[in-house]
Amino acid sequence: MLHRRLALASTLALSLTVALPAVAQQKWDLPTGYPASNFHTENIIQFSKDVEKATAGKLKITVHDGGSLFKANEIKRAVQGGQAQAGEIIISGYSNENPVFGVDSIPFLATSYADAQKLWQASRPVTEAHLAKQGLKVLYAVPWPAQGIFSAKPLASAADLKGAKWRAYNPNTSRLAQLIGAQPVTVQAAELTQALATGAVNAFMTSGATGYDAKVWEQVKYYYDVSAWLPKNLVIVSQKSFDALDKPSQDALLKAASDAEARGWKISQEKTTWYLDQLKKNGMTVDPGSAQLKADLRKLGETMIAEWAKQAGADGQTILDAYRK
């Protein structure tokens, strides 16, 4: 009798176990093109920890830094194609797909953190709508520090850049090179050190953060802090992967993303001076740029704003109107 009772209890326990829905752990890959020491990557790692904690381990995000899983320019396609669930991209790198994606890298449109924040608020709805058509969802965005010019030789005006081998990382930096009379060479951040060492590049526009990551002082000695624009990195997820999460996990992910965006903007601004100090400590001349150099660049910026507005059409006008309110 006891044997039968035990057998019945065992069968009942097994049936209850089968009846309960299993909570499957979701494992995501999140590739980025930047090194582990970069503030963007540090922020992403904190974001992934926050997500795992908030979901009680139901969603685990593995961060692959330094272009180790996919090169920077391959990440967006990898997320679209389902090879990775999420990823970090520099959105202006895709302005050939849609001019809207390049609004944050038009010279002298938004040159401060406050203006960059306002521009993101103005452009976010349009940006998200276009990415949604590609099956992508924006989790959060964080800007780089303002862009300046690194050069192997001193610069008094834009004319001094004629003929330079100019590193380009998006269509706008290529266009700027053309207007200056430089030769654009497409080089991703992870490949910058090698490009400088081989002489493939001798001038470029980027932030002090990228200059620090690439130890550019080994090849170039001048940095002109002209604050031309603040490009943003976006952390994106495939809509399909997002939809596969349960509602509590989705909510936890979005909350962690919101926190990461606020934290990232703060860190970016705080580290701006620190990066420039590191350039100085390593023997670089850090200069605000001559009045002539700034005037030349602003004139080029006006040309590029007009060109962009024409290319972006109604979407572009919507963004500019919202930004200039």
Side-chain angles (χ1 to χ4, degrees), residues 157-295:
S157 69
D160 292 331
L161 286 163
K162 280 184 181 172
K165 294 174 185 174
W166 177 273
R167 177 246 177 170
Y169 63 82
N170 62 24
N172 279 347
T173 45
S174 292
R175 178 60 181 144
L176 187 58
Q178 291 166 359
L179 290 171
I180 289 169
Q183 177 190 335
V185 184
T186 300
V187 175
Q188 300 301 322
E191 298 153 0
L192 183 55
T193 305
Q194 186 181 356
L196 288 167
T198 59
V201 166
N202 57 19
F204 50 100
M205 210 159 198
T206 192
S207 71
T210 301
Y212 173 77
D213 286 345
K215 297 181 180 177
V216 299
W217 51 80
E218 293 175 359
Q219 307 295 336
V220 300
K221 298 300 177 190
Y222 300 92
Y223 180 70
Y224 295 92
D225 185 20
V226 294
S227 296
W229 67 86
L230 290 82
K232 292 184 302 297
N233 281 5
L234 267 55
V235 172
I236 55 171
V237 61
S238 76
Q239 188 67 50
K240 188 176 177 182
S241 296
F242 182 81
D243 291 344
L245 300 174
D246 60 28
K247 185 66 167 61
S249 296
Q250 289 179 348
D251 292 343
L253 180 70
L254 294 177
K255 170 66 168 64
S258 177
D259 291 346
E261 179 157 325
R263 181 175 60 237
W265 279 77
K266 187 170 180 283
I267 293 169
S268 179
Q269 189 163 8
E270 286 172 351
K271 290 201 80 167
T272 296
T273 305
W274 184 85
Y275 282 124
L276 298 186
D277 286 344
Q278 299 312 302
L279 300 181
K280 290 175 191 172
K281 281 181 184 175
N282 284 283
M284 290 196 71
T285 299
V286 175
D287 189 285
S290 69
Q292 185 63 56
L293 179 63
K294 287 180 176 177

